[in-house]
Amino acid sequence: MDQKRNYQKELEQILKKLQAEGKTPHLLLHSCCAPCSSYCLEYLQQFFEITVFYYNPNIAPEEEYRLRVEEQQRLIRELCAEHPVHFLEGNYDPERFYEMARGLEQIPEGGERCHRCFELRLREAMKAAQQVGADFFTTTLTISPLKNARKLNELGEMIGAEEKGPRWLVSDFKKKNGYRRSVELSEEYGLYRQNYCGCVFSKREAQARERK
């Protein structure tokens, strides 16, 4: 796959086509947290009916997971959206994440362990998209400057090609000041912003950075 693809430009072309056709398709949006989803929802609700799918078995401890779920639901309730925004919570099964991560515990954040975690969550997002009858599926993860948008889109397109049903919606939400806007929206809505991705390994790295 061409590493020089401009995913934001491709997304804009898709959205322009949908507008020209007068369509409002159903999008399943996998979300990692309310702050990351804030800009994505503000941007995408103009074009789609959205189901926010919260599937993140990597998050630890469970209290952290529950807090993030509640913040996601609150954001959806308070958000002014042109088209409906629904919420769907996946299973919280941390053991599935730890099984996937076995042998990769010492890999730095952003490496193979993260890539496998992306795939785990995107495969569940595809299943959920099929269940709700969505036309497209995608993830908020590309908004993070720390996440590899190319890898996420490669995985999404691979999974979309393997399964019948929803089409992967390419994205690089950090572009066009998307990440900065998510910070502004987090302040506007008073959202809880965590200082680590979610898993025990990313928390360990965050704590090490703070000590330094």
Side-chain angles (χ1 to χ4, degrees):
M1 183 172 290
D2 183 2
Q3 296 187 20
K4 296 181 180 180
R5 285 176 64 182
N6 187 326
Y7 296 108
Q8 174 60 31
K9 190 170 184 179
E10 290 183 34
L11 173 58
E12 290 172 0
Q13 291 171 345
I14 293 169
L15 299 180
K16 185 176 181 180
K17 182 179 179 182
L18 291 175
Q19 279 192 314
E21 294 172 348
K23 294 181 178 179
T24 306
H26 187 176
L27 169 69
L28 184 125
L29 176 66
H30 167 262
S31 174
C32 57
C33 63
C36 286
S37 73
S38 60
Y39 166 73
C40 302
L41 287 170
E42 181 184 65
Y43 180 33
L44 297 172
Q45 56 80 26
Q46 307 167 72
F47 308 99
F48 298 96
E49 177 178 350
I50 299 173
T51 294
V52 174
F53 179 55
Y54 198 86
Y55 176 72
N56 300 292
N58 54 308
I59 296 175
E62 185 171 355
E63 292 78 9
E64 176 77 17
Y65 173 85
R66 296 298 169 194
L67 176 57
R68 297 193 194 191
V69 170
E70 290 169 5
E71 284 292 86
Q72 181 69 78
Q73 291 175 305
R74 180 171 71 84
L75 174 64
I76 293 171
R77 288 195 302 270
E78 297 180 5
L79 186 74
C80 294
E82 184 175 339
H83 297 110
V85 178
H86 316 284
F87 178 77
L88 175 63
E89 183 179 356
N91 293 328
Y92 180 56
D93 184 7
E95 289 307 313
R96 188 174 181 191
F97 168 74
Y98 290 122
E99 180 180 351
M100 176 225 73
R102 188 174 294 121
L104 302 171
E105 293 86 350
Q106 302 305 316
I107 300 294
E109 189 172 359
E112 182 61 25
R113 185 185 63 246
C114 290
H115 296 167
R116 293 191 188 183
C117 183
F118 295 161
E119 183 173 357
L120 171 66
R121 289 185 280 173
L122 292 183
R123 286 194 179 279
E124 285 300 311
M126 163 57 94
K127 292 177 185 177
Q130 291 173 322
Q131 290 169 4
V132 301
D135 302 290
F136 293 87
F137 76 110
T138 195
T139 180
T140 65
L141 287 166
T142 65
I143 200 170
S144 171
L146 301 177
K147 300 293 186 292
N148 187 327
R150 180 178 61 83
K151 186 64 178 180
L152 284 160
N153 281 290
E154 284 179 356
L155 287 168
E157 289 183 326
M158 177 188 74
I159 293 165
E162 289 176 357
E163 303 286 344
K164 292 181 180 179
R167 173 184 171 189
W168 172 254
L169 186 69
V170 296
S171 74
D172 193 354
F173 291 121
K174 70 178 72 65
K175 296 295 180 66
K176 297 188 73 174
N177 294 317
Y179 177 73
R180 186 173 71 182
R181 179 59 179 156
S182 74
V183 174
E184 294 171 353
L185 287 167
S186 296
E187 293 177 356
E188 181 180 328
Y189 286 95
L191 298 175
Y192 162 66
R193 289 182 65 85
Q194 62 285 349
N195 66 348
Y196 67 105
C197 176
C199 72
V200 293
F201 311 113
S202 64
K203 186 174 184 178
R204 181 179 63 199
E205 289 190 30
Q207 290 172 336
R209 287 193 299 269
E210 289 175 2
R211 285 194 296 269
K212 289 181 180 179

